[in-house]
Amino acid sequence: MRHEFKHGIVHCGDALAVLREMPGESVDAVLTDPPYSSGGLHMAARQADPADKYQHTGAIRTYPPMLGDLKDQRSFTMWATLWLSECWRVAKPGAAAMVFSDWRQLPAMTDALQGGGWAWRGIVVWHKSGGRPMLGEFRRDAEYVVYGVKGKRRATHRRCLPGVYRYPINAGRKVHLTSKPVELIKELLYVTPDGATILDPFLGGGTTALACMQTGRRFVGVELSEEYCDLACGQIRAAETTMR
Ligand SMILES: C[S@@+](CC[C@H](N)C(=O)[O-])C[C@H]1O[C@@H](n2cnc3c(N)ncnc32)[C@H](O)[C@@H]1O
């Protein structure tokens, strides 16, 4: 199912299936936050409900189930390599790829990015504060954005961007179990040209689409969960109304 908006398109379906139907060299950048399949060393811990894996014990807010989060390490890396190579085909030469990861999946994601054909150019740190405290160990209060380029990078402006961004999670604005702050996504979009078309094959509650709309860019989003697809489309429609 495909939903068209003034500023972009949302496909409700499986990312790999939708990507395979997209024309080559048709987007200016990829910015996405896939399911991490993280959360533990052993199968039982990984296969726990994402709501238990990614929320503090005692959290009372509930969200629709997040799909596709139960892969083991090898299948996660192979699957991520598959969709990243499709993203590479769909991206224009010089396009940037920005893919969220947590500390545990970072090595798998940097391998998958390179396996998918992208030239790995660095890691951006998202200091989200309030992350899980660890008795006698380092607090896990950061996530990462693996950054790569298709071929030769073309600078779109002459600003030097930071490598660390501090944006707290605003629980009141979350519509998804793992919603990212819109302001953070807007900052990341600075590596893309004005008016760019941004592909997010794991759209969730629609954060990337909202950031694109607020920065004069277009979006192509894909989301497997019907509930999240409806939520994302609702958010986009509401934003369109306020922009009129
Ligand atoms: C980490 S969340 C993205 C959250 C998003 N960044 C936001 O701020 O709302 C990943 C999303 O990918 C979706 N997903 C999982 N497997 C998928 C697949 N094969 N194709 C498309 N979407 C998928 C999940 O349902 C989930 O909503």
Side-chain angles (χ1 to χ4, degrees), residues 13-15 33 35 66-67 176 178-180 201-202 204-205 207 223-224:
D14 173 63
D33 173 27
M66 183 165 74
L67 305 180
H176 189 286
T178 66
S179 279
K180 300 296 176 282
F202 303 96
T207 311
E223 171 56 50
L224 183 60

Side-chain angles (χ1 to χ4, degrees), residues 6 8 15 22 29 31 60 79 88 105-106 108 110 125 127 136 141 159 168 171 174 190 194 196 207 224 231 234 242:
K6 186 170 173 217
M22 285 181 64
L31 197 172
I60 41 173
W79 171 73
W88 187 92
Q105 295 296 58
L106 194 53
T110 56
V125 177
H127 180 213
D141 57 358
R159 255 183 75 191
K174 272 177 71 169
Y190 271 119
D194 289 342
T207 311
L224 183 60
L231 252 168
T242 57

Side-chain angles (χ1 to χ4, degrees), residues 77-155:
T77 312
M78 289 175 193
W79 171 73
T81 307
L82 286 176
W83 63 257
L84 277 161
S85 62
E86 279 302 318
C87 286
W88 187 92
R89 182 187 63 76
V90 167
K92 294 178 187 169
M98 293 167 274
V99 185
F100 277 87
S101 180
D102 71 352
W103 66 273
R104 198 188 296 276
Q105 295 296 58
L106 194 53
M109 192 49 84
T110 56
D111 280 353
L113 182 93
Q114 293 169 91
W118 298 87
W120 181 24
R121 300 268 302 167
I123 289 169
V124 178
V125 177
W126 169 37
H127 180 213
K128 57 186 177 178
S129 45
R132 188 165 293 179
M134 303 294 295
L135 203 59
E137 285 188 86
F138 303 106
R139 187 185 269 268
R140 293 174 186 160
D141 57 358
E143 291 186 28
Y144 308 94
V145 180
V146 178
Y147 168 56
V149 173
K150 178 172 178 174
K152 198 167 181 304
R153 171 94 194 116
R154 279 175 306 185

Side-chain angles (χ1 to χ4, degrees), residues 32-75:
T32 195
D33 173 27
Y36 293 171
S37 286
S38 191
L41 286 180
H42 307 294
M43 244 358 234
R46 257 163 201 263
Q47 298 209 327
D49 183 340
D52 295 328
K53 291 198 289 184
Y54 302 134
Q55 283 190 127
H56 290 292
T57 315
I60 41 173
R61 176 106 187 253
T62 57
Y63 301 93
M66 183 165 74
L67 305 180
D69 198 66
L70 306 178
K71 294 184 174 56
D72 68 22
Q73 197 63 14
R74 290 169 79 85
S75 58

